[in-house]
Amino acid sequence: MPAKARNFEGKQLLAAAMAVLCAMTALHARILTVAKSGGDYSTIQAAANAARAGDTVYVRAGTYVEAVSIWNSGTAVAPITIMAYPGESPVIDGQGNVPTGDWAALLTLGGNYINMSGFEVKNTATHNNMGVDLYGHHNKVSHLNVHHAYQNGIIANGDYSIVEYSQVWQSCQSNVNESGGGMWASGLSAARDPVNGITDNAVIRGNTVYNNWGEGLSTYEANGTVIEDNIVYNNWSVNLYISDAPNVLAQRNLVFQTWDTP
């Protein structure tokens, strides 16, 4: 058989195998529900521990006082999806006392191929904590409302992270009224992949970042970050900060300052 024919046949077999894999994943995917009462789970963390590739977790309205760390992973064809129940707005609230440990986040996407959307994340105003950490790779958060974090509001550490259509405000509370002693965090950043120190190919798109007590939107110690269609204003330090980050594309961002302060 000619080499070209063999290559074509090999591609056909690979495509068929992928189609079977997708069908099997879809067949075994589950829908899980979190609710203050009456759901499959009463906490987001319990559902996150149970979720596997292809599953969708719906979270009903309510205030969930817990730190959530998601370490299970999806796949490229079958991500884990955790989202607000349609029409509802669940809240993850640290209330100033969870999580424990410096630079821990109230919401951590530690695994890979996790999509999360529709949550308010607030009140990590002590213990050097952050709001949201995309720690693994190929994770996406969207339509979040993140505020009153002691350090970073959202940080995208992992390669191929996506942060889109979210609001980040009143983060960097460690530096309120310039009280940080020369050190402060940022509202939304792509930076510092835990594997090799450089976050590759993150996307920060369509977010509104304002009234934070540090930089507004930034990328540093990163490569190939795309920063587009964001609105960034009235942050205490520079609104848009790029440092030690080659191949950055920053386009169509609206960046401005008024006389108002954070």
Side-chain angles (χ1 to χ4, degrees):
M1 181 182 294
K4 286 186 178 179
R6 287 198 302 271
N7 289 340
F8 179 72
E9 183 179 22
K11 290 179 181 178
Q12 284 185 313
L13 290 173
L14 178 59
M18 290 299 294
V20 171
L21 177 61
C22 291
M24 291 177 62
T25 300
L27 182 65
H28 292 92
R30 302 171 298 166
I31 295 177
L32 309 175
T33 303
V34 179
K36 301 301 290 185
S37 61
D40 299 313
Y41 301 93
S42 60
T43 67
I44 302 170
Q45 185 64 62
N49 291 343
R52 62 193 185 210
D55 286 351
T56 298
V57 178
Y58 286 113
V59 182
R60 302 299 303 254
T63 297
Y64 297 84
V65 183
E66 56 176 315
V68 179
S69 296
I70 308 166
W71 293 98
N72 293 343
S73 292
T75 67
V77 297
I80 292 172
T81 300
I82 302 177
M83 62 187 299
Y85 190 84
E88 300 185 3
S89 301
V91 179
I92 301 173
D93 190 346
Q95 295 192 3
N97 53 27
V98 292
T100 59
D102 283 352
W103 297 96
L106 189 56
L107 171 59
T108 301
L109 278 61
N112 308 317
Y113 294 102
I114 303 165
N115 298 336
M116 196 156 184
S117 68
F119 291 83
E120 181 178 0
V121 181
K122 66 178 184 178
N123 292 337
T124 61
T126 58
H127 305 301
N128 267 358
N129 297 143
M130 301 183 293
V132 180
D133 185 2
L134 284 71
Y135 189 87
H137 63 74
H138 290 94
N139 291 327
K140 179 171 73 172
V141 295
S142 62
H143 301 285
L144 301 187
N145 178 12
V146 181
H147 59 96
H148 290 89
Y150 195 73
Q151 298 290 0
N152 301 81
I154 302 176
I155 187 163
N157 289 140
D159 294 344
Y160 299 97
S161 296
I162 300 175
V163 181
E164 60 184 11
Y165 311 122
S166 296
Q167 295 185 64
V168 184
W169 55 283
Q170 282 294 345
S171 294
C172 319
Q173 291 285 301
S174 61
N175 195 43
V176 167
N177 297 321
E178 306 176 38
S179 60
M183 301 293 290
W184 55 81
S186 60
L188 168 55
S189 293
R192 293 180 179 169
D193 170 47
V195 176
N196 63 5
I198 301 296
T199 296
D200 291 307
N201 302 311
V203 176
I204 300 175
R205 174 191 299 123
N207 304 285
T208 302
V209 182
Y210 65 100
N211 286 11
N212 296 285
W213 283 96
E215 279 83 25
L217 191 158
S218 71
T219 187
Y220 54 92
E221 298 173 34
N223 175 58
T225 308
V226 175
I227 303 172
E228 61 185 12
D229 302 314
N230 301 282
I231 300 172
V232 189
Y233 65 95
N234 285 11
N235 296 285
W236 176 79
S237 184
V238 293
N239 284 305
L240 178 58
Y241 176 74
I242 300 171
S243 175
D244 304 298
N247 305 309
V248 173
L249 173 62
Q251 61 181 358
R252 301 188 304 271
N253 299 287
L254 176 60
V255 180
F256 65 93
Q257 194 81 10
T258 73
W259 289 110
D260 297 329
T261 62

